[in-house]
Amino acid sequence: MSTSTTGSEIKGETVTAAKEQTTAGVDKASVTELLERGRTMSTPVLRAAVDRLAPPMDTVAAYHFGWIDAQGNPSAGDGGKAVRPALALLSAEVAGAGPETGIPGAVAVELVHNFSLLHDDLMDGDEQRRHRDTVWKVHGAAQAILVGDALFALANEILLEQGTAEAGRATRRLTTATRKLIDGQAQDISFEHRETVTVQECLEMEGNKTGALLACSASIGAVLGGACEADADALEEYGYHLGLSFQAIDDLLGIWGDPAATGKVPWSDLKQRKKSLPVVAALAAGGKASKKLGKLLAADAKAADSADRNDIESFDEEEFATRAALIEAAGGREWTSQEARRQYATAIAALDKVDMRDEVRRKLVGLADFVVVREK
Amino acid sequence: MSTSTTGSEIKGETVTAAKEQTTAGVDKASVTELLERGRTMSTPVLRAAVDRLAPPMDTVAAYHFGWIDAQGNPSAGDGGKAVRPALALLSAEVAGAGPETGIPGAVAVELVHNFSLLHDDLMDGDEQRRHRDTVWKVHGAAQAILVGDALFALANEILLEQGTAEAGRATRRLTTATRKLIDGQAQDISFEHRETVTVQECLEMEGNKTGALLACSASIGAVLGGACEADADALEEYGYHLGLSFQAIDDLLGIWGDPAATGKVPWSDLKQRKKSLPVVAALAAGGKASKKLGKLLAADAKAADSADRNDIESFDEEEFATRAALIEAAGGREWTSQEARRQYATAIAALDKVDMRDEVRRKLVGLADFVVVREK
């Protein structure tokens, strides 16, 4: 089995160890094909759905998805990695249906995902997403709220208008996932104002914020294809742990990622004082670096509070570098990297609970590989 | 048939003419009873649903619903008129089911309604609702966005966890209504930035923003009770036009309402430069007052634009009184009052399409009377 992604690195840190646990990989070209298939098959339906929105929401949404620029001219923007649609189509194949059966599910999860991006960017004050100004920056807060709401509603509409019992079951799972996603964002925000967050709390938050929707993506096509509840649950388990692995990598990239690749500002997560996995793991580790980091972050929190703001943008780059180095010295970087591998292994193991064609299983493993070994 | 609401006025303007079209009213005590029943039967389920939210969203939602004050102490706040839950329970009775069949529908529409209030108050910058500071004022913009999202998701969850085909149909109708609601808010916002809005456009916006969810409220219980699509459609028609009647009254109260009764700031709609029905009707009327009003509002818009803000709070009360008087002189107030009656009549007429017990019909008419004759 060829695995051509060997050597991929996260800013100098080889994460290829994860690959060793792959029992049945697919080559990089196949993953690219899977992602491309997800995009190609779902985007026309997604665009038609977005076209239903009343102006100017249709335009604002088109900007968010990268189909037009801020001036309204067509653009071939980077619409994101599109892991979710790829998973949704694959998931239909698990149930023995054609990938097209998963399309309404692919569109629905993309809509929910983008609803959450629109609202989270506004709540977090993030000005950049996918190398472009965020919607609230370009079109204002009201449009970011409104278009987010509209995408959320559209997601349910697209599924329910299928009018089948399967679509009803799929909508129920999507709704549960969306509620968890919102719980996760609430936890994420509250963590920024708390002095201490345990590793367990952080994992729970990330499970809600990232795991739940990936779980739904990985099962929704199967549900639409008539899979039994047990199979759908096992696929959710795969997606959930894949999501946690994905998020662990994201947390590494949020501190040590290359801004040119991620499209985020440098030290993005540190600037927002996010208590992400590397941070909470470092703080929990004990030892000299851990204690020094704890003191520094507590002082940062105090300074930010007294200035009545959540970020600490006035710091220069060197001060963030100091914090990043302490997180690494305390072992937060290594622990998070290992956690990504552990979650990856749990995800792959869940696939054994479902009877599926080898080819489909290989593709699900291949997508998981892609998620764990990435630079953006 | 006794109709004890005679003499109710909107700031001096008798709207009891609407009552004359009532073919089968119920007395005021019965309407109060219906509203009370809706509240009593749905609130415990609503509270249990809200309790599912992750902290601090549960607390923020409880504040919004008036169950606790800003300090977190229990309060017996004014939870609104609760017309929607009352309609949802009644609607179950139309289908021959008990009112309790409508409870998940009542809770779902209340959740969607309050999701929209949370987001609209933030988008519109409204600082007061039901005589209290709005959520974004007390808990910040992020919580207003997040809790709104959570209530929206909860609405679908409450319905779908019934697990029946009827619940699936109900969710589909609720989703359609929610999409229209969002379209309506988008139109409402865009109107504030436009020079001219036709009466037709305004009615369409209000049909989306207010009519759609009342339409859903009036049919959702029947759908849960197994009503056929034609009956559900007719009930939606009743609710839709009732919503337009409701909104016409709201537009009158938004200009001439007593702030002590409405809980809004004086001249609320004029301050936000809302192109509500009385305004667009006055501008469309032609004549001296209409033209003068047009010039004044155009100058207001220019002033607000140059100051880069949507409101014109720097005006003193007299300047708003001048505008209100011009709207009235141009006939905008009278036209809107008549429109409320026309929509009321259309709503009542739609009830003839559905076979239901006389007693249920009388209650639906009674609720309609209540909506049209009110001071807040």
Side-chain angles (χ1 to χ4, degrees):
Chain A
M1 216 107 338
S2 116
T3 48
S4 67
T5 46
T6 47
S8 280
E9 292 183 344
I10 295 175
K11 265 234 158 186
E13 180 186 13
T14 300
V15 292
T16 45
K19 299 288 300 171
E20 291 157 22
Q21 298 176 23
T22 308
T23 51
V26 288
D27 62 31
K28 200 173 180 178
S30 301
V31 171
T32 309
E33 226 168 73
L34 278 175
L35 295 170
E36 193 50 38
R37 181 181 77 168
R39 228 182 257 116
T40 310
M41 289 179 75
S42 65
T43 303
V45 183
L46 181 64
R47 292 188 81 139
V50 165
D51 277 346
R52 296 183 195 179
L53 301 181
M57 295 190 294
D58 50 353
T59 309
V60 176
Y63 171 78
H64 170 75
F65 282 108
W67 304 330
I68 57 173
D69 64 19
Q71 287 71 46
N73 303 313
S75 95
D78 168 15
K81 290 173 283 290
V83 171
R84 291 168 195 81
L87 274 175
L89 301 196
L90 256 179
S91 143
E93 292 186 276
V94 174
E100 68 284 355
T101 304
I103 292 176
V107 172
V109 292
E110 271 303 89
L111 286 167
V112 167
H113 174 55
N114 284 284
F115 135 73
S116 78
L117 295 183
L118 276 163
H119 283 189
D120 289 2
D121 283 344
L122 175 59
M123 288 187 255
D124 298 341
D126 285 341
E127 302 186 356
Q128 290 271 310
R129 152 105 33 214
R130 296 168 191 159
H131 307 274
R132 306 160 79 222
D133 283 344
T134 46
V135 163
W136 69 267
K137 252 322 244 185
V138 177
H139 295 282
Q143 290 300 325
I145 296 170
L146 204 52
V147 174
D149 292 345
L151 298 187
F152 182 4
L154 260 185
N156 293 318
E157 189 170 285
I158 292 292
L159 278 181
L160 288 168
E161 70 191 9
Q162 304 291 310
T164 61
E166 287 76 23
R169 283 172 56 212
T171 312
R172 192 169 166 190
R173 282 182 187 261
L174 181 66
T175 297
T176 306
T178 309
R179 276 254 295 115
K180 286 187 182 165
L181 186 99
I182 296 163
D183 276 1
Q185 172 67 1
Q187 291 164 324
D188 198 12
I189 291 176
S190 75
F191 289 177
E192 284 166 41
H193 300 279
R194 275 171 52 180
E195 234 173 83
T196 52
V197 172
T198 67
V199 171
Q200 198 47 48
E201 285 174 325
C202 186
L203 285 172
E204 191 196 316
M205 178 275 282
E206 297 193 342
N208 282 331
K209 197 168 168 176
T210 308
L213 195 60
L214 269 178
C216 186
S217 308
S219 65
I220 198 165
V223 172
L224 291 171
C228 66
E229 291 293 296
D231 281 0
D233 287 345
L235 286 167
E236 284 214 356
E237 199 182 328
Y238 157 82
Y240 182 81
H241 292 284
L242 185 59
L244 278 170
S245 182
F246 180 97
Q247 190 57 50
I249 302 290
D250 227 51
D251 285 356
L252 291 170
L253 293 171
I255 298 177
W256 295 281
D258 176 7
T262 61
K264 294 179 179 178
V265 295
W267 313 112
S268 164
D269 285 2
L270 292 181
K271 281 185 182 158
Q272 286 176 38
R273 305 194 298 112
K274 278 209 185 285
K275 298 206 175 52
S276 64
L277 272 187
V279 178
V280 297
L283 290 173
K288 208 171 144 191
S290 174
K291 282 189 186 114
K292 196 168 167 194
L293 178 72
K295 273 185 198 156
L296 261 182
L297 295 185
D300 290 353
K302 218 168 162 182
D305 282 351
S306 71
D308 196 23
R309 54 190 300 167
N310 289 331
D311 53 14
I312 39 180
E313 278 186 24
S314 58
F315 281 21
D316 61 26
E317 301 299 299
E318 209 178 311
E319 289 175 284
F320 292 116
T322 305
R323 283 151 187 78
L326 282 171
I327 294 167
E328 186 159 2
R333 186 175 188 172
E334 178 55 25
W335 185 90
T336 304
S337 179
Q338 282 175 9
E339 177 66 13
R341 288 167 218 174
R342 281 190 293 269
Q343 295 291 349
Y344 168 91
T346 312
I348 300 300
L351 293 178
D352 289 339
K353 301 181 186 176
V354 188
D355 189 28
M356 65 180 95
R357 282 186 295 131
D358 271 357
E359 188 208 340
V360 177
R361 185 175 191 281
R362 270 200 304 278
K363 287 178 182 171
L364 286 168
V365 174
L367 265 187
D369 291 351
F370 166 79
V371 159
V372 176
V373 186
R374 65 193 170 96
E375 290 170 37
K376 63 172 188 172
Chain B
M1 213 105 343
S2 116
T3 49
S4 66
T5 45
T6 48
S8 280
E9 291 184 346
I10 296 176
K11 264 234 154 183
E13 180 186 11
T14 300
V15 290
T16 45
K19 300 286 302 170
E20 292 156 21
Q21 298 176 25
T22 308
T23 51
V26 287
D27 61 31
K28 200 173 180 178
S30 302
V31 171
T32 308
E33 226 168 74
L34 278 175
L35 294 170
E36 193 50 38
R37 181 181 78 167
R39 229 182 258 116
T40 310
M41 290 179 74
S42 64
T43 303
V45 183
L46 182 64
R47 292 188 82 139
V50 165
D51 277 345
R52 296 183 195 180
L53 301 181
M57 294 189 295
D58 50 354
T59 309
V60 175
Y63 172 78
H64 170 76
F65 282 109
W67 304 329
I68 56 172
D69 63 21
Q71 286 71 45
N73 303 312
S75 93
D78 169 15
K81 289 173 283 288
V83 171
R84 292 169 195 80
L87 274 175
L89 299 197
L90 256 179
S91 143
E93 291 186 274
V94 174
E100 68 284 355
T101 303
I103 292 176
V107 171
V109 292
E110 271 303 88
L111 287 167
V112 168
H113 174 56
N114 284 283
F115 136 72
S116 79
L117 294 183
L118 277 163
H119 284 190
D120 289 3
D121 283 344
L122 175 59
M123 287 186 256
D124 298 342
D126 287 339
E127 302 186 355
Q128 290 271 309
R129 151 104 37 211
R130 298 169 190 158
H131 306 274
R132 307 161 78 223
D133 283 344
T134 46
V135 163
W136 69 266
K137 251 323 242 185
V138 177
H139 294 282
Q143 290 301 324
I145 296 170
L146 204 53
V147 175
D149 292 345
L151 297 187
F152 182 5
L154 261 185
N156 293 319
E157 190 170 284
I158 292 293
L159 277 181
L160 289 167
E161 69 190 9
Q162 304 291 309
T164 61
E166 287 76 23
R169 285 171 56 211
T171 313
R172 192 168 166 191
R173 283 184 187 261
L174 181 66
T175 297
T176 306
T178 309
R179 276 255 296 115
K180 287 188 182 165
L181 186 97
I182 296 163
D183 276 0
Q185 172 68 1
Q187 291 164 323
D188 198 12
I189 291 176
S190 76
F191 289 179
E192 284 166 41
H193 300 279
R194 275 172 52 180
E195 234 173 81
T196 52
V197 172
T198 67
V199 170
Q200 197 49 46
E201 285 173 325
C202 186
L203 285 172
E204 191 196 316
M205 178 275 282
E206 297 194 341
N208 282 331
K209 198 168 169 178
T210 308
L213 194 61
L214 270 178
C216 186
S217 309
S219 65
I220 199 164
V223 172
L224 291 172
C228 67
E229 292 293 295
D231 281 0
D233 288 345
L235 286 168
E236 284 214 356
E237 199 183 326
Y238 157 83
Y240 182 81
H241 291 284
L242 185 59
L244 278 169
S245 182
F246 180 96
Q247 190 56 50
I249 302 290
D250 227 49
D251 285 357
L252 291 170
L253 293 171
I255 299 177
W256 294 280
D258 176 7
T262 62
K264 295 180 180 179
V265 295
W267 314 112
S268 164
D269 285 0
L270 292 181
K271 280 183 182 160
Q272 286 176 39
R273 306 195 296 115
K274 276 208 185 288
K275 299 210 173 50
S276 63
L277 271 187
V279 177
V280 297
L283 290 173
K288 208 171 147 193
S290 174
K291 283 190 185 114
K292 198 168 167 194
L293 177 71
K295 273 184 200 159
L296 261 182
L297 295 185
D300 291 353
K302 219 170 161 181
D305 282 350
S306 70
D308 196 23
R309 54 189 301 168
N310 289 332
D311 53 14
I312 39 181
E313 278 187 24
S314 59
F315 281 20
D316 60 26
E317 300 299 300
E318 208 177 309
E319 289 175 283
F320 292 115
T322 306
R323 282 150 186 78
L326 283 171
I327 294 167
E328 185 159 3
R333 185 175 189 171
E334 177 55 25
W335 185 90
T336 304
S337 179
Q338 282 175 9
E339 179 66 11
R341 288 168 218 173
R342 282 190 292 270
Q343 296 290 351
Y344 168 91
T346 311
I348 300 301
L351 294 178
D352 289 338
K353 300 180 187 176
V354 188
D355 190 28
M356 66 180 95
R357 281 184 296 132
D358 271 358
E359 187 208 340
V360 177
R361 186 174 191 282
R362 269 199 305 277
K363 288 178 182 171
L364 286 168
V365 174
L367 266 187
D369 292 351
F370 166 78
V371 160
V372 177
V373 185
R374 65 193 171 98
E375 288 169 39
K376 60 174 189 169

